[in-house]
Amino acid sequence: MRILLVEDEAEMASALGTALNRHDIVLDHVPTLAEAEEALAERVHDAVLLDRQLPDGDGLSLLAQLRSGRAADSRGVPVIVLTARSEISERVAGLDAGADDYLAKPFAVEELLARLRAVLRRPGDLAARIVRLGKLAFDWEHREASVAGLALDLPRRELLVLETLLRRAGRTVMRASLEEAVYGFDDEVQSNALDAHISRLRRKLAEAGAGIEIHGIRGVGYLLRAPA
C-alpha cells in the first residue's frame, strides 16, 4: 500500500513514516500543496493523508481539485484530513469538501490505521476482497497472504512486491512500476535490490506450494501467473 502524506511538520511526518512502515505501508511525504500535485501526477496512491495548514495554502484546495478531477488521475482516491483544526465547523467543512474522514491532531497511529482500513473498505474495491490465485489467498484488508490456510511470513518489501504483482496478475508489470510500489521517494535503492526481493519471494511461494510462478521478462519486468 502506498500513501501520500501532505504535512509540513517534519517531525510528525518522520514519526508517521516510521510507524506506518512497520505496517508494510510505503509513505511518500511532501510538505506543500504544489509538491502534492506533482506527487499525485507522478505515482498512484491508495490514499492521501492531508494536513490543512500548509505553507502554500489550505489543504482543502487540493481536495477540491481531487474531487473535480483536475488533479492528475486521482479523483477517487480516499482522503483523510489530519489537522489541529478540530472544531465541528472545520470538520463539517472538510467532509463537505469531499474528505472521506477527518482526524484531529494529536491522534493514535492505531486509530489512523483503523480509519485507513475503513476508507479503503468500499463495495467493489479490491481492498474489500480476498484475492485468490493458484493456491494463494491474499486478504487485501488485512494485507495477509496464505496458502491452504497457512500464513506466509513475508517481510514488508516482499509483501509489497506480491501485492503489486497480484493487482496485475497475468500481465507484465514494468520494473519501474514495481520499484515505485516498493520504495518511497526518499529510499535509497540498490541496482539489484528488487531482484533479491523477488528471488526470495519466489522461493517462499514454491516452498509453500502456492501454485503460482513469477516470470522475469528480460529488460521489461515481471509477470505473476498460475501455470496452465
Side-chain angles (χ1 to χ4, degrees):
M1 183 188 301
R2 177 179 291 275
I3 302 295
L4 177 64
L5 171 64
V6 189
E7 168 63 66
D8 64 326
E9 294 180 19
E11 186 174 341
M12 178 179 179
S14 177
L16 264 182
T18 300
L20 294 180
N21 281 342
R22 295 194 191 105
H23 294 271
D24 305 320
I25 294 174
V26 174
L27 188 74
D28 291 332
H29 167 237
V30 294
T32 67
L33 293 171
E35 291 172 87
E37 291 179 24
E38 292 177 5
L40 289 166
E42 182 178 336
R43 291 184 178 178
V44 175
H45 294 86
D46 296 289
V48 176
L49 304 178
L50 179 63
D51 190 19
R52 286 197 58 178
Q53 295 173 292
L54 295 162
D56 52 347
D58 188 335
L60 294 190
S61 64
L62 176 65
L63 187 53
Q65 291 185 52
L66 285 169
R67 295 306 179 239
S68 68
R70 298 197 305 273
D73 233 352
S74 303
R75 180 171 183 170
V77 65
V79 177
I80 299 179
V81 173
L82 307 178
T83 180
R85 298 164 68 168
S86 58
E87 297 84 359
I88 290 179
S89 60
E90 299 288 358
R91 297 187 188 203
V92 170
L95 293 170
D96 283 347
D100 295 270
D101 204 346
Y102 199 105
L103 188 57
K105 301 175 183 177
F107 53 83
V109 171
E110 292 76 10
E111 182 178 3
L112 174 60
L113 289 167
R115 289 174 183 261
L116 274 170
R117 290 193 296 270
V119 299
L120 291 169
R121 195 187 304 126
R122 296 184 296 189
D125 197 299
L126 193 59
R129 301 200 303 264
I130 293 179
V131 176
R132 301 182 188 277
L133 185 67
K135 297 180 181 179
L136 176 79
F138 192 92
D139 183 331
W140 233 269
E141 180 179 347
H142 298 98
R143 308 192 66 253
E144 296 173 344
S146 61
V147 176
L150 298 177
L152 283 179
D153 184 16
L154 300 177
R156 181 170 68 94
R157 299 207 191 279
E158 291 173 30
L159 187 69
L160 289 167
V161 168
L162 179 60
E163 180 181 23
T164 304
L165 291 172
L166 273 171
R167 287 182 184 274
R168 306 176 194 175
R171 294 178 289 166
T172 300
V173 180
M174 303 291 286
R175 184 183 184 88
S177 297
L178 273 169
E179 289 180 339
E180 288 179 359
V182 173
Y183 301 103
F185 285 157
D186 299 325
D187 290 337
E188 294 184 9
V189 185
Q190 298 180 354
S191 60
N192 64 341
L194 178 64
D195 302 304
H197 295 315
I198 288 176
S199 177
R200 289 191 291 269
L201 178 60
R202 271 194 185 119
R203 185 183 70 250
K204 292 175 183 178
L205 291 172
E207 291 173 350
I212 56 178
E213 298 174 348
I214 301 174
H215 295 271
I217 311 300
R218 192 182 184 94
V220 179
Y222 292 90
L223 179 149
L224 179 69
R225 69 184 180 192

